[in-house]
Each structure stands twice: as C-alpha cells, then as structure tokens.
C-alpha cells in the first residue's frame, strides 16, 4: 500500500531514461513465502539523455533487499539509498553490471500484480508497473532489454515457463529442478512472465506464411484440459488472419498460453507466454455460453495481435497506452467481424461504447484517449483508452480506406520495429504513407468528451438541391473547458420515400463520407429528385452523438429499408428511446403509461422479418438498457427509467406474445451445438423470445423455460432458461432451478461464476439480501476477482433496478465492499467503485445517498493510490 496522497505524473514531464539495460539475467528460487530473485543487469548510460553520470534510479515496491553489487563489487548500505519505492545508486562509469538479490512473498501477494500464487501455481502480471514488485528495475516501457530467465523450483512444480525459447533444463538436487528461457527480442519489463505449476497442456502447430513451424501450447490444470480446443482454434485463426490482413508473421518458435484462475483482467500479452484469466480461455459446449465462446475468440486474438501492436512496437510511456490498446482492439474487432456477423459485432461494440464509454467521457474520471496525467496508471486501462481509442483508429481506417490504412500500418511496423513509440508516431506513419494531413484529426487523442453533431436539413424542390447543416460541439470535461472542432468522418446515404437509395452524384454513388471539420459546416447535394431521408453516421463512423429530428415514421422506414444494418438497428433504438423518454415524463407527471403504437408495430414487423439475420432481429428487439437511458439523460431519474422500461418490456411481451411464441417454437430445434455465427444467431433470437415470454409470467411461458432448462445440451440454452426463471415467476421455482444448477455444476469454476452472476443481476425483489448471502457461500472468495465481479460487480453494474433501490442500500453495500477489497486488491477496488462515482448526475434523493456512500469510502482512510485517485476526483464538486 502506498502513500494516501499519491503524486501526479504528467505527460509533459516525460524524459528519456538516463540508463539503458542491454541484457537482464534473472534467477528465481521459488518458495511460496520467500522467493529469492537474483538479477544481473548490463547497464549503459543512454547517450541521448544528456551529459554526465546521474545516479541510477531503480523502481522497487514491497521488496526485501539482500544485496547490491556493481561490476562484481558488493556495495555497502551507505553506498546507495533504499526507499519505499526503489533504489538510488551513484554511478561512476558509463557501462557497468549491476547484481541485485532480493526476496519476495508470492503467497501474501493478493494484489495479483508482480509474482503471486493462484491455486498453488506461480504466475506473474507485470503490466503496467508490476515488475517492480519482483525486483529493482527501471520499470518503464522505454527501457527494452534482452531477458534470460532461470527458474528453480521444487519438482512439485513440473512446468516452469518464461518468455522466449527454452535453452536449458536440469536437476539442482534430488528435490529441485530448473529451466532456463531466453527471449531473443528486447522487451520492456512489463512483458516479462513466469509460470510454475502442476499443469497439463494441449499442443498444436502452425506453419507461418514464410514456412516456419511454430509450436502452440495451452497449459491448464488437468481438470480443464478438455476445455482448450476453442482457444487453440481461435489462436490459429488469428495467426492466419494477421498474416493475411496485416502481413504480420509470428516470430518465435513457440507460443504459449496459460490459464490462471486469479487474474485482475482478461489476459496479458507477455512475449511468447500469454497469461489468461481462465474465464477468457477455457470453454466447452456444456459449460460455456455462446457469448463466452465469442469472448474467448476475440481475447485470444487480441493478445496474439499484441505481438506486433504492443510487443514488437511498444509504448514509449504509459500515456501512450492507446497506441497499443486502441490499435489492438480495432484489430481484434475486425477479426471478430470477419469470423462472425459484422453488423452484430458492430452493434455489440457500439452499445457498450455508448453506454459505458460515453458515461466515462461525461463523468469525473473523463480523460482523453491519450491522458495528460495520472496518479495510478492502472486506473487508465479504461473504455476510453481501449474502445474509444479503437474508434479513433477505425476513423483513420475510414478516412484512408483499407489499402491506405494498410500502407500506413506497414510503414508504422517497419519504421518502429523494436522501438518504444508514441501515438504521434502512429498518426505520422499513416500520414506519410498516404500523403494526407491529419493535424486536426490528432485532437481525438488530446481532447476528452463525446462530441455532439446537430444536423438540420433543407430540400429545395425547385432546384432539386438538398442541404445538410452540421454543427459540432463537445461538452467541457475536467481540466478542459474549451474544445476545438474535431475532424469527424460522417458516413451517410439518402433514402427515397419508397426506401430505395438515392444517387448522391452523377456517378450514382450511394454512400459517402463527409469530412466534418468546422464548428458549423454546410454540405450540398445536387440533383436529388425528391426530399430524401438521411441515413446518418452509418456503421457508427465516429464516436459521437447525432441529433436529428427523425419522426417515428421516418425511423420505421430506416428500420425496414436502410442498406446499412447498423443504422437499421440504430433507428429502432432511436424509436424506442423516444418512446421511453415520453414514458419517463408521463411517469413523473403521474399520467397513465401507454405503449406507443409505432413502437409496437415496429417490433411486430421486426419479428415477421424471417429473412433477416436472427441475431440482428434479437438486437432490434432489445430495448436500450437502463444504463443507456441513464447515460443519455441530463439528470438521471432512476425510478422513472426503471418504471418506463419495465412497463414497455411487459407491454411488448403481452402484445406480441403469439409472435414471440411462434419465433421461439420455430427456432427450438435439436441441432447439435456448434459455436458458429448462424447457430449462435438462432439461439440468440430464441432466447430473446424466451426472456420476453417469461416477462408475462404466464404459466405456459415459464413451463417453456422449465423444459428448456431440463433438456438443454449446451450452456447457452441452459443459462438462458435459468436466467428467465430466476428473473420471473415465483420464488420457489427460482430457488429450485438455482439449487439444481449448482448441484450439477459446483465443480466447474466458470459455470459457478455464471450461477453467481445470474442471481446478482436479477431484478427480483430482495436481490441485495441474496447478494449478501452469496458472499457467505463457499463459492465466494474476496481474493478472486472473477468471483467479486460475478457477485458485487454484476449487482452494481448489471442490476440497475435493485442497485438503485430508493433507500440507498445498494450504494452503501458497494461502498462497504470497496473498502474491504482495497486492502486486498486495489486495482479491483478502484474499478468496482465506478457506479457511485457518477452521483452528480442523479436526482436529489439518490444523489445524496450515493455521495454519502462515496464519502464513506474516503473517510475510511488508508486508501490505496488506485482507490484514492478515483474517489478524490469523483468527490470534487467544482
Ligand atoms: N495489456 C493487458 C492489460 C494489462 C492491465 C494492467 N492493469 C491486457 C490487454 O489489453 O491485452
Ligand atoms: Zn490489449
């Protein structure tokens, strides 16, 4: 735990490192409470950093220092300074070797940063600043070194892994053995990894485009060895895709993945040795849902893609995090789009962006894609850096086209291979390869907040001229009151009254990308034969909000006829949003709530479109989430949101009962399970229909769920039936299925996590008491982030109704858990507190209660740097 008032690091203060480390030799003697780490560094003065020989500063946290030697000569304690955050060593020569011995305690490391134990297996997590919890080191990404690592351990740990290639192994004595690994590629310390345990593996091979053979291995505990096939398939598909789409080939002889149960996030791209949260790699049809299969495919690809976008070309400093994360998320999203339904993938990503990233952009932690400052970098692994960062890369792709973008990425990889660079270098490569000027576009990296486009149009029927006036603005965000105009690609098409597409020019172009660069700009289309209906921001071509006065009839035309699948869905969302906004007003006014007829008819037509991708139909039938409605509101009235949404869901379910039932029955067939796009789409629609049917709580519907629960042969159908019965119907039925499900699956970690989250996210009355009871259940463990996310995280983030109970009990509960968790795992605590940091946007009652809960976290004192940063910034009232 650090100081309660951590200092702020600024991008403007960046300086080159004073010293470089040409090679790093590490030796670990693994013991649960007392692991010995020996490091031998070849250090050299960085010629680019200036004159003289300043002292060498090494980072180190929670380490027990044993000895320091320079060029083989031991240093006495007076010859260096050891403080809470590292070592300062005077330097007399421009090149020297430094040998440091220290001890660490993996067993007591519950922060899951550095070297720790998970179910008796040693593993590491070094990004961003975890390596300093292993040994003293210049722990910054612009210090790149060649690592050789020897692991010595008891033979109870038969598998000993690190980065690169294995070069030696042998016995130390009768009980202990060792393995030495050498990584030929220089890398920053954050990409270091070590694993030791009793692990089984599955093995496969991949032949690269230049004909090299690569061994692929996935390691896991023996009980999970049957759950690795999907990850292996995904890995091979990702390797091929990166060759075909980006010309990027894998560069080592071996690529390893290890599944770990205790992990702070999804996975980590350590060079040649990716470490994965078990939930993001292990799957079988009986135990994993379609969503899990798709998540695994995308995360395996994401981590693999980092080998080029992140490892070969890395970040100069942590302000540049989006250089690797935004680009890699864009790459994995395109990969998933190619493997599955492109439109559905886009809808899923944009829904998440709109709901959660827009809220982040408008909240107290709002920051640009490239932040200017931070107290704790772990707090900046955000949706803004990742998802908005990916949207920024996508906009470059839209502006340059596929070929232009590929020219840019080729130049970027060629120019910067083996280097630690900046977002600026990425944009410059795109410019230089295409002869374009992206000067104004760069504001996407430096200005926070979600831009708003207000669009008006005018049609001159005599002159057949159609005019679009686009005004852009961006709300003030902390530290940035004034914003300059962004460079925004606005993709659009124009529809005729019969739904056909109008030509935009004499060549017959049907779709174009307008480049919006000014605060107000007018675009004119000539020879437009009738007043058109604009289909704006197709494919969500920029991360902005579009305001245009669509009528319900126009939205229905777009839903039916737009050639852009994303905008068909989006038109439905706008229609539903308008209806829900009216219902919120009616609720507040005490007027009787009534279902808007246009919405009902639109949903009925969607259900009748049997030729449409069923996954798209499922998305179109899903109302905007309560979180999305909250994000869109100026002042969040949680009670009105809940009432409007519940009323609409129920009214739709009642009115469309027959159509939903037919849809369910049409898709309820006994196909053998395959996690492929077409089948996933059918299951998605079937289970969306089931959820709606069960909202009516009619016995017939609940029996359908009962029988699906009893007969399901895959986890997608089983979990959907479970959720339907936990959310609706009588308590007895819910507790019976929950009991049966647990008894059947209690030995399977991933299914138990699903079981926990279904309960925590249920809108059923009394969920908070159920959540408290779950925390006392043997399946719960406060030191396991997956369990924490499944119980506390699911309740606070995915249960709008129960979390926002008017008495404030949900907020107080969250605050209590955050305080307890901060002592064990600051990263998870700082993330979990998010829902109550948005207190300022709520109506008075919840606002005060949320604020009090947040204040109680601050008042608890002794906060980690992670939690302190989030809470102190969120409590500020200016
Ligand atoms: N790069 C890691 C994230 C590390 C988070 C450290 N707090 C996973 C990823 O984005 O691929
Ligand atoms: Zn990543």
């Amino acid at each position: 735990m650090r100081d309660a008032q951590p200092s702020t690091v600024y991008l403007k203060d960046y300086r080159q490192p004073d010293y470089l480390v040409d090679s790093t030799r590490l030796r670990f003697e693994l013991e649960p409470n007392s692991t010995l780490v020996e490091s031998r560094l070849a250090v050299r003065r960085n010629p680019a950093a200036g004159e003289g020989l300043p002292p060498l500063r090494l980072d180190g946290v929670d380490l027990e220092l044993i000895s320091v030697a320079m060029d083989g000569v031991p240093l006495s304690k007076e010859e260096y300074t050891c403080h809470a955050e590292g070592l300062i060593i005077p330097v007399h020569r421009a090149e020297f070797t430094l040998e440091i011995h220290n001890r660490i305690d993996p067993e007591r490391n519950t922060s899951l940063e550095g070297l720790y134990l998970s179910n008796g297996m040693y593993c590491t997590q070094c990004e961003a600043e975890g390596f300093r919890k292993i040994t003293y080191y210049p722990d910054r990404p612009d210090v790149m070194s060649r690592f050789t690592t020897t692991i010595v351990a008891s033979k109870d740990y038969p598998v000993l892994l690190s980065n690169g290639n294995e070069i030696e192994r042998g016995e130390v004595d009768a009980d202990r053995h060792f393995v030495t690994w050498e990584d030929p590629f220089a890398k920053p310390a954050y990409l270091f990894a070590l694993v030791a345990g009793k692990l089984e593996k599955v093995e496969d091979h991949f032949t690269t485009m230049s004909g090299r053979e690569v061994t692929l291995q996935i390691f896991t505990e023996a009980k999970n060895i049957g759950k690795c096939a999907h990850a292996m398939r995904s890995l091979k598909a990702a390797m091929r895709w990166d060759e075909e789409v980006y010309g990027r080939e894998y560069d080592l002889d071996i690529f390893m993945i290890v599944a770990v149960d205790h992990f702070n996030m999804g996975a980590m791209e350590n060079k040649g040795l990716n470490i994965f949260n078990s939930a993001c790699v292990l799957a079988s049809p009986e135990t994993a849902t379609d969503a899990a299969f798709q998540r695994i495919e995308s995360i395996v690809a994401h981590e693999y893609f980092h080998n080029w976008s992140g490892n070969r070309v890395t970040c100069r400093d942590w302000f540049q995090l989006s250089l690797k994360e935004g680009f890699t998320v864009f790459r994995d999203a395109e990969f998933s789009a190619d493997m599955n339904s492109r439109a559905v993938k886009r809808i899923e990503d944009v829904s998440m962006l709109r709901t959660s990233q827009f809220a982040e952009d408008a909240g107290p932690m709002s920051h640009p894609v490239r932040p200017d400052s931070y107290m704790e970098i772990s707090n900046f692994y955000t949706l803004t850096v990742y998802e908005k960062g990916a949207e920024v890369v996508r906009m470059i792709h839209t502006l340059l086209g596929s070929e232009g973008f590929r020219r840019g990425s080729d130049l970027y990889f060629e120019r910067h291979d083996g280097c630690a660079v900046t977002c600026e270098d990425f944009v410059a490569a795109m410019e230089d390869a295409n002869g374009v000027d992206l000067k104004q576009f760069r504001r996407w990296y430096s200005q926070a907040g979600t831009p708003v486009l207000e669009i008006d149009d005018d049609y001159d029927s005599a002159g057949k001229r159609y005019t679009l006036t686009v005004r852009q603005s961006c709300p003030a965000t902390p530290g940035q009151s004034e914003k300059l105009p962004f460079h925004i690609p606005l993709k659009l098409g124009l529809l005729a009254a019969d739904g056909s597409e109008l030509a935009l020019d004499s060549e017959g172009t049907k779709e174009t990308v307008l480049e919006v660069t000014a605060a107000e700009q007018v675009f004119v289309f000539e020879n437009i034969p009738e007043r058109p209906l604009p289909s704006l921001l197709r494919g969500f071509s920029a991360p902005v909000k579009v305001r245009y006065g669509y009528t319900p009839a126009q939205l229905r035309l777009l839903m039916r006829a737009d050639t852009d699948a994303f905008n068909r869905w989006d038109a439905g969302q706008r229609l539903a949003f308008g209806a829900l906004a009216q219902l919120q007003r009616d609720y507040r006014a005490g007027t009787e709530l009534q279902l808007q007829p246009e919405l009902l008819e639109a949903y009925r037509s969607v259900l009748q479109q049997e030729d449409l991708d069923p996954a798209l139909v499922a998305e179109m039938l899903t109302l905007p989430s309560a979180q999305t409605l909250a994000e869109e509101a100026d002042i969040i009235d949680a009670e009105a949101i809940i009432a409007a949404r519940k009323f609409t869901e129920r009214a739709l379910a009642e009115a469309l009962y027959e159509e939903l039932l037919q849809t369910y029955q049409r898709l309820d067939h006994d196909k053998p399970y395959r996690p492929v796009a077409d089948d996933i789409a059918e299951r998605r629609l079937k289970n969306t229909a089931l959820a709606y049917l069960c909202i009516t709580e009619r016995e017939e519907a609940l029996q359908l769920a009962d029988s699906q629960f009893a007969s399901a042969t895959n986890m997608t159908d089983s979990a959907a039936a479970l959720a339907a019965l936990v959310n609706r119907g009588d308590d007895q039925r819910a507790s019976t299925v929950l009991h049966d499900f647990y008894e059947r699956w209690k030995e399977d970690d991933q299914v138990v996590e699903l079981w926990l989250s279904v309960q925590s996210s249920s809108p059923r009355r009394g969920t908070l008491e159920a959540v408290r009871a779950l925390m006392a259940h043997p399946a719960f463990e406060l030191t396991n982030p997956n369990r924490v996310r499944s119980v506390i995280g699911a309740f606070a983030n995915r249960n709008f109704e129960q979390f926002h109970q008017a008495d404030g009990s949900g907020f107080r509960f969250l605050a209590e858990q955050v305080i307890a968790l901060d002592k064990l795992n600051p990263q998870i605590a700082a993330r979990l507190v998010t829902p109550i940091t948005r207190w300022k946007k709520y109506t008075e009652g919840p606002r005060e209660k949320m604020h009090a809960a947040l204040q109680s976290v601050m008042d608890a004192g002794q906060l980690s740097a992670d939690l302190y940063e989030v809470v102190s910034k969120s409590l500020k009232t200016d």
Side-chain angles (χ1 to χ4, degrees):
M1 204 101 357
R2 279 174 243 181
D3 200 334
Q5 291 214 328
S7 54
T8 300
V9 185
Y10 295 92
L11 168 59
K12 63 177 167 45
D13 293 342
Y14 173 82
R15 299 283 173 276
Q16 289 228 23
D18 286 334
Y19 292 92
L20 305 174
V21 182
D22 291 325
S23 69
T24 302
R25 297 189 78 87
L26 299 171
R27 185 171 185 280
F28 290 82
E29 282 192 30
L30 297 176
E31 288 296 336
N33 289 119
S34 178
T35 287
L36 175 65
V37 186
E38 299 178 1
S39 101
R40 195 183 166 81
L41 313 179
V43 185
R44 176 165 57 90
R45 175 77 170 121
N46 179 5
E51 300 291 310
L53 294 175
L56 172 68
R57 292 170 184 275
L58 301 179
D59 304 296
V61 173
D62 295 341
L63 306 175
E64 183 195 332
L65 181 61
I66 300 171
S67 64
V68 185
M70 215 176 216
D71 287 330
V73 181
L75 301 187
S76 70
K77 287 204 169 77
E78 290 69 44
E79 288 177 285
Y80 57 84
T81 310
C82 183
H83 58 98
E85 298 197 348
L87 278 183
I88 304 173
I89 308 171
V91 173
H92 311 290
R93 278 181 293 280
E95 267 190 70
F96 55 92
T97 59
L98 191 69
E99 203 167 315
I100 297 178
H101 294 191
N102 66 278
R103 274 185 204 287
I104 48 177
D105 185 346
E107 189 158 56
R108 284 187 48 206
N109 181 356
T110 56
S111 71
L112 314 187
E113 261 190 311
L115 178 68
Y116 63 93
L117 278 162
S118 170
N119 297 344
M121 159 185 170
Y122 289 90
C123 60
T124 53
Q125 172 54 38
C126 294
E127 188 178 358
E129 297 181 336
F131 194 76
R132 65 188 63 187
K133 296 179 106 182
I134 294 177
T135 187
Y136 293 96
Y137 202 78
D139 189 8
R140 44 187 290 169
D142 55 356
V143 172
M144 300 175 77
S145 180
R146 276 185 311 282
F147 281 67
T148 307
T149 305
T150 298
I151 310 164
V152 180
S154 148
K155 290 179 184 170
D156 294 339
Y157 301 89
V159 174
L160 306 177
L161 309 174
S162 191
N163 318 86
N165 302 310
E166 181 183 318
I167 54 167
E168 202 185 346
R169 66 163 60 226
E171 280 206 350
V172 177
D173 53 39
D175 302 323
R176 294 184 307 156
H177 65 151
F178 77 92
V179 179
T180 300
W181 293 82
E182 185 181 70
D183 183 353
F185 292 94
K187 64 168 178 288
Y190 84 84
L191 290 172
F192 170 80
L194 177 155
V195 169
K198 211 179 217 130
L199 300 168
E200 302 279 312
K201 66 166 184 285
V202 293
E203 189 167 294
D204 207 328
H205 296 275
F206 181 83
T207 309
T208 70
M209 60 188 186
S210 71
R212 282 192 315 99
E213 278 296 303
V214 182
T215 302
L216 310 177
Q217 298 177 331
I218 302 182
F219 292 85
T220 178
E221 290 168 74
K223 64 173 182 179
N224 289 325
I225 202 70
K227 289 182 166 191
C228 300
H230 178 65
M232 187 63 92
R233 240 190 336 266
S234 305
L235 174 61
K236 289 197 284 183
M239 293 177 88
R240 190 61 73 211
W241 187 89
D242 212 16
E243 293 186 344
E244 287 170 4
V245 180
Y246 281 86
R248 299 292 115 200
E249 190 174 1
Y250 187 61
D251 50 13
L252 286 165
D253 302 332
I254 185 163
F255 185 85
M256 298 172 282
I257 287 178
V258 183
V260 172
D261 286 341
H262 296 72
F263 210 63
N264 280 350
M265 64 274 166
M268 176 64 210
E269 70 263 24
N270 317 297
K271 183 79 188 185
L273 177 55
N274 285 190
I275 298 183
F276 271 64
N277 185 325
S278 303
C280 297
V281 63
L282 302 174
S284 70
E286 301 74 42
T287 62
T289 60
D290 290 334
F293 271 89
Q294 291 188 319
R295 185 175 69 228
I296 289 166
E297 181 181 70
S298 84
I299 298 182
V300 167
H302 178 99
E303 306 310 330
Y304 173 74
F305 295 154
H306 268 316
N307 190 54
W308 274 96
S309 49
N311 300 3
R312 289 287 287 257
V313 181
T314 194
C315 301
R316 185 191 74 173
D317 55 75
W318 291 121
F319 297 102
Q320 318 298 329
L321 183 57
S322 196
L323 172 78
K324 73 178 179 80
E325 296 305 347
F327 188 20
T328 306
V329 171
F330 171 70
R331 276 149 59 67
D332 85 55
E334 284 297 291
F335 167 73
S336 294
D338 283 349
M339 298 294 130
N340 302 286
S341 155
R342 178 163 282 272
V344 172
K345 170 69 180 155
R346 190 73 187 128
I347 289 167
E348 288 166 351
D349 288 351
V350 173
S351 299
M352 196 248 282
L353 189 90
R354 275 187 177 156
T355 307
S356 306
Q357 195 280 324
F358 280 14
E360 187 169 276
D361 242 349
M365 286 291 288
S366 176
H367 54 276
V369 167
R370 184 189 53 223
D372 301 313
S373 68
Y374 58 77
M375 288 181 189
E376 173 51 65
I377 185 57
S378 299
N379 287 329
F380 288 81
Y381 284 75
T382 57
L383 292 162
T384 301
V385 166
Y386 274 65
E387 316 301 327
K388 186 174 179 181
E391 294 300 321
V392 171
V393 175
R394 181 178 295 279
M395 287 189 284
I396 298 179
H397 188 276
T398 302
L399 291 168
L400 301 181
S402 298
E403 286 175 18
F405 186 83
R406 172 67 193 271
R407 274 196 296 279
S409 72
D410 282 352
L411 180 62
Y412 169 72
F413 288 126
E414 184 195 312
R415 228 182 225 180
H416 302 298
D417 190 8
C419 300
V421 303
T422 61
C423 299
E424 167 58 32
D425 293 318
F426 180 79
V427 179
M430 290 289 162
E431 285 180 325
D432 294 350
N434 290 282
V436 294
D437 179 356
L438 295 172
K439 185 164 179 290
Q440 184 181 354
F441 185 86
R442 283 168 171 75
R443 287 181 192 150
W444 283 107
Y445 287 96
S446 58
Q447 294 190 144
T450 307
V452 178
L453 295 185
E454 283 179 64
I455 304 185
D456 291 318
D457 57 357
D458 185 50
Y459 182 65
D460 164 12
S461 50
K464 301 206 176 312
R465 177 178 296 129
Y466 179 63
T467 311
L468 274 179
T469 305
V470 182
R471 283 179 207 88
Q472 64 161 302
S473 61
C474 181
T477 51
Q480 291 187 339
S481 47
E482 299 296 324
K483 314 276 171 155
L484 295 168
F486 289 87
H487 180 174
I488 301 170
L490 177 64
K491 190 186 279 189
L492 60 76
L494 300 179
L495 266 60
D498 66 359
S500 63
E501 279 197 301
L502 293 167
L504 306 177
D505 55 26
S506 53
E507 266 108 68
T509 310
K510 299 278 174 62
E511 183 171 270
T512 190
V513 177
L514 304 179
E515 298 198 25
V516 179
T517 51
E520 180 169 337
Q521 216 165 330
V522 176
F523 298 91
V524 179
F525 298 86
E526 303 286 357
N527 297 318
I528 305 296
E530 61 176 87
R531 173 175 260 284
L533 173 62
S535 164
L536 299 164
L537 203 73
R538 281 188 167 170
F540 198 68
S541 61
V544 301
K545 297 184 180 182
V546 169
R547 309 268 184 247
Y548 174 86
Y550 286 114
T551 65
Q554 289 175 325
L555 291 171
R556 288 204 56 198
L557 179 61
L558 287 170
M559 281 178 85
R560 180 173 61 75
D562 201 345
T563 51
D564 185 78
F566 176 85
N567 267 13
R568 288 177 79 163
W569 168 80
D570 201 32
Q573 293 291 296
R574 280 176 191 269
L575 185 65
F577 191 85
L580 287 160
Q582 182 57 45
L583 286 169
Q584 289 177 59
R585 286 192 289 274
D586 292 345
Y587 178 82
R588 278 193 289 270
T591 317
E592 196 194 337
L593 303 189
Q594 284 189 348
L595 183 61
Q596 192 194 69
E598 284 98 343
L599 187 66
L600 175 60
E601 286 322 308
Y603 274 48
R604 196 188 303 281
S605 319
V606 167
L607 269 169
Q608 283 157 356
Q609 289 193 18
E610 289 186 20
D611 54 332
L612 212 58
D613 174 1
L616 192 57
V617 174
E619 292 290 351
M620 291 178 87
L621 290 176
T622 304
L623 290 172
S625 65
Q627 287 84 349
T628 309
L629 299 173
E631 198 292 312
E632 276 282 336
D634 292 330
I635 305 274
I636 302 170
D637 183 341
E639 196 182 308
I641 288 175
I642 294 164
R645 211 175 168 281
K646 272 177 95 152
F647 168 81
T648 309
E649 271 191 337
R650 193 169 184 115
L652 286 169
E654 292 288 357
L656 297 172
Y657 189 86
E658 288 311 319
E659 288 90 336
L660 289 162
L661 188 59
Q662 278 163 22
T663 303
Y664 180 81
Q665 284 161 345
R666 174 165 59 86
L667 299 169
D668 184 31
H669 39 60
D670 265 344
K671 268 195 189 169
Y673 181 85
R674 287 183 318 151
V676 294
D678 290 352
D679 294 4
I680 290 174
E682 289 193 346
R683 281 189 290 274
R684 178 109 142 228
L685 180 53
K686 177 181 75 175
N687 288 319
T688 301
L690 180 67
Y692 264 112
L693 289 167
C694 288
I695 289 175
T696 65
E697 303 201 305
R698 293 189 199 174
E699 185 54 27
E700 178 192 41
L702 297 170
Q703 273 182 19
L704 284 180
D706 262 338
S707 84
Q708 177 167 318
F709 183 74
S711 63
T713 55
N714 64 74
M715 187 46 71
T716 307
D717 288 342
S718 178
L722 175 73
L725 293 168
V726 168
N727 295 346
R728 317 289 169 188
D730 61 286
D731 291 355
Q732 184 53 44
R733 203 178 208 139
S735 59
T736 306
V737 287
L738 280 169
H739 175 265
D740 293 354
F741 191 88
Y742 184 72
E743 284 306 311
R744 171 143 186 225
W745 296 112
K746 63 185 173 198
E747 302 304 330
D748 188 297
D749 289 335
Q750 286 79 53
V751 185
V752 167
E753 278 149 23
L754 193 148
W755 177 81
L756 292 168
S757 66
V758 164
Q759 296 173 75
S760 305
S761 48
S762 169
R764 184 179 290 274
R765 207 188 303 276
T767 293
L768 178 55
E769 288 68 44
V771 166
R772 284 194 188 275
L774 284 177
M775 290 184 63
H777 192 278
F780 187 78
E781 213 189 327
L782 200 57
T783 49
N784 182 332
N786 287 359
R787 304 287 152 127
V788 170
R789 283 185 279 256
S790 302
V791 177
I792 310 169
F795 176 69
N797 296 300
R798 288 194 269 141
N799 196 343
F800 195 86
E801 183 171 345
Q802 293 300 316
F803 178 66
H804 289 89
Q805 284 296 297
D807 62 2
S809 51
F811 315 146
R812 285 194 298 278
F813 166 77
L814 185 65
E816 280 164 34
Q817 304 316 320
V818 164
I819 293 166
L821 201 56
D822 194 41
K823 309 272 178 266
L824 300 168
N825 189 329
Q827 278 184 23
I828 299 294
R831 199 155 278 237
L832 206 63
V833 77
T834 306
I836 53 172
T837 62
R838 310 257 163 87
W839 59 279
K840 278 177 221 156
K841 268 195 83 177
Y842 282 80
T843 49
E844 194 180 346
R847 180 167 66 229
E848 282 171 7
K849 294 186 176 76
M850 238 183 227
H851 177 260
L854 190 64
Q855 186 65 50
S856 75
V857 177
M858 187 55 120
D859 295 345
Q862 298 268 305
L863 303 190
S864 65
D866 307 58
L867 189 56
Y868 178 83
E869 175 169 35
V870 176
V871 175
S872 61
K873 288 182 175 172
S874 310
L875 281 170
K876 271 201 187 134
T877 44
D878 51 347

